[in-house]
Every structure is written in structure tokens, then in C-alpha cells.
Amino acid sequence: MAKLGARSTIDEYDFLSPLVTHSYAIGNHIINDCVITDSSNSEYVSDLANYPYYRIEKFVISKEYGLIYYKREDGEEFFREDLLPDSVDNTTN
């Protein structure tokens, strides 16, 4: 089960689906072993869905880095700064 921004994983039979890992790109940097949760594989949990501040459209969690990205429905986005294109492979950060 994934719960961030009031999202719970779903599948076509209304049972909890296992989370599947994927690769995710930030700029030209590919991060492996990520769980990507959005409207294609999750839905809002009914008791939290009425609180707009908690409504997150998409989030990405990396096995290596933890939370690396989220986007709220109002358009606000979070990127893990040390993984942004200008800081990848930069050891001075």
C-alpha cells in the first residue's frame, strides 16, 4: 500500500496491487528502482480526499534516494535538489 497525498494503490479487482519498480528520469539522469504512484495505479483514500492540501497528483520514491519528486494538484512540484540536472555528478553540493 502506498500512502502519500492520500493515495492508495489499486488494481482492477479493487485489491491492493503490489508496487512495481520503474526507472525515472530527472533531466538526463536515470534513477532505477523507483515506485511511481499517480492516477494510473492509485486513487484517493476517501477519508483524506476532501483535504485539498494533501492531494498529490504524482509522487516518485527511489530505493536509493527516498522521495525524489511529487506534484500537487495545484501545480506545486518538489524535486530533490541534489538530483536536478545542474547538480548531478557535482560533488561540491
Side-chain angles (χ1 to χ4, degrees):
M1 178 183 288
K3 284 192 176 179
L4 181 68
R7 286 197 171 273
S8 181
T9 56
I10 58 170
D11 70 14
E12 62 190 89
Y13 303 106
D14 293 327
F15 296 109
L16 295 176
S17 302
L19 296 174
V20 178
T21 59
H22 302 276
S23 295
Y24 187 75
I26 294 182
N28 60 356
H29 184 67
I30 304 296
I31 302 167
N32 296 314
D33 298 321
C34 295
V35 173
I36 302 168
T37 305
D38 58 20
S39 62
S40 70
N41 64 359
S42 68
E43 63 185 11
Y44 287 115
V45 178
S46 61
D47 58 340
L48 295 176
N50 296 325
Y51 298 95
Y53 180 77
Y54 296 108
R55 293 175 69 103
I56 294 178
E57 184 177 305
K58 177 179 183 175
F59 65 89
V60 181
I61 298 175
S62 159
K63 180 178 180 181
E64 182 176 355
Y65 299 104
L67 180 65
I68 60 173
Y69 173 79
Y70 71 74
K71 181 177 181 180
R72 294 187 186 277
E73 286 187 343
D74 66 4
E76 175 189 345
E77 291 184 290
F78 162 85
F79 294 92
R80 198 170 139 161
E81 288 187 16
D82 59 335
L83 297 176
L84 290 174
D86 62 345
S87 62
V88 172
D89 299 326
N90 180 353
T91 58
T92 60
N93 290 8

